[in-house]
Amino acid sequence: MAERRDPEQERTHRRRQLVLTLRAFALAGFDEGAGGHVTARDPIEPDTFWINPFGRHFGHVRDDDLLRVDHTGDVVAGSGRINPAGYAIHSAIHKARPDVVAAAHTHSIHGRAFSALGRPLAPITQDACAFFEDHEVHDEYGGVVLDGAEGDRIAATLGTAKAVVLRNHGLLTVGGSVAEAAWWFLAMDRCCQVQLLAQAAGDLVLIPADAARAARSDIGTPQIARLNFRPVAEHVLAVSTDLTD
């Protein structure tokens, strides 16, 4: 059962989870200079969202570094700059998907490599089945996403899915909580790595569609994503001496 929090408590929780996600992404090697962004919808003013500051390493982001942005791109809480591409992509997704609390996009190595294939993940492992028929491929690349129109196109491609492969760009995942979006990104990047390794070694053997759907119903749920993120967050707290539980 989900923990009940008042709006202020939920805001604090989402900000905390956002920091833990960014630290986890740093440990996973997902940082790439100033690129990459994770957002969380604000529960008090849901037409705004929290985002990591532009140009700060994932591994050093703290709660008071986070910025709250409205859908015109203005920073309404916190001090700093936002990544223009982060705003263009995430504002479109938060607007198109009221059910989405959080969205994650970084330039992870395996996600970028897989995106160059312009194809969806294949159900070749149990873990990959979490994304079976629940992710899309944005099959175009029009340069750095700096305008709202391209953000809208990405949001349209995502549709109701939990993730989208941005061709020649990388991965993007969403969730009904920060933990969900974070876990789907971690898991999807690893699935990309596994598929790249497997297809380099030989022909892929696919899990039958019915079995893949059954597996997705077991391991592709929001509850399982939140469960899987718990040990990730625990490890972040154990190694991040500047954060307190």
Side-chain angles (χ1 to χ4, degrees):
M1 181 180 295
E3 183 179 348
R4 287 185 174 275
R5 307 181 187 91
D6 65 34
E8 285 289 353
Q9 290 173 327
E10 181 62 24
R11 173 184 277 179
T12 298
H13 174 72
R14 292 184 188 183
R15 286 164 55 98
R16 177 68 162 175
Q17 291 286 291
L18 201 51
V19 171
L20 293 175
T21 295
L22 292 162
R23 296 296 185 99
F25 283 9
L27 292 173
F30 293 165
D31 54 289
E32 183 79 10
H37 14 86
V38 186
T39 57
R41 189 188 301 274
D42 186 72
I44 298 174
E45 298 185 43
D47 59 340
T48 67
F49 56 86
W50 296 91
I51 189 170
N52 52 300
F54 191 34
R56 187 157 178 78
H57 192 281
F58 288 175
H60 298 291
V61 173
R62 298 174 59 88
D63 185 84
D64 55 7
D65 293 316
L66 298 175
L67 307 175
R68 186 159 62 87
V69 187
D70 65 20
H71 284 286
T72 66
D74 291 331
V75 175
V76 295
S79 178
R81 296 174 57 204
I82 61 172
N83 186 319
Y87 167 73
I89 295 171
H90 290 254
S91 62
I93 289 171
H94 282 291
K95 182 178 180 180
R97 291 278 301 273
D99 61 306
V100 164
V101 165
H105 167 65
T106 81
H107 296 168
S108 60
I109 292 175
H110 299 110
R112 277 183 290 170
F114 186 83
S115 75
L117 302 176
R119 66 182 67 164
L121 281 169
I124 60 172
T125 66
Q126 176 172 286
D127 300 300
C129 290
F131 301 95
F132 184 67
E133 297 179 340
D134 199 15
H135 73 290
E136 303 292 342
V137 177
H138 188 60
D139 197 19
E140 61 180 281
Y141 177 77
V144 179
V145 183
L146 296 177
D147 66 85
E150 179 61 12
D152 290 341
R153 286 190 287 271
I154 291 172
T157 300
L158 172 66
T160 61
K162 63 163 63 91
V164 59
V165 178
L166 306 176
R167 199 195 73 196
N168 305 112
H169 190 167
L171 310 176
L172 184 145
T173 60
V174 300
S177 67
V178 178
E180 292 166 43
W183 174 253
W184 295 139
F185 196 96
L186 289 162
M188 192 175 196
D189 188 78
R190 188 61 63 86
C191 287
C192 288
Q193 180 183 13
V194 170
Q195 184 165 333
L196 290 167
L197 289 169
Q199 63 193 21
D203 295 333
L204 301 178
V205 177
L206 304 185
I207 295 172
D210 287 347
R213 291 187 193 103
R216 186 193 66 215
S217 69
D218 289 329
I219 65 170
T221 65
Q223 296 86 346
I224 293 298
R226 294 194 297 270
L227 175 63
N228 278 319
F229 188 69
R230 287 180 194 168
V232 175
E234 180 183 36
H235 180 63
V236 168
L237 288 170
V239 301
S240 300
T241 57
D242 62 322
L243 297 180
T244 57
D245 193 359

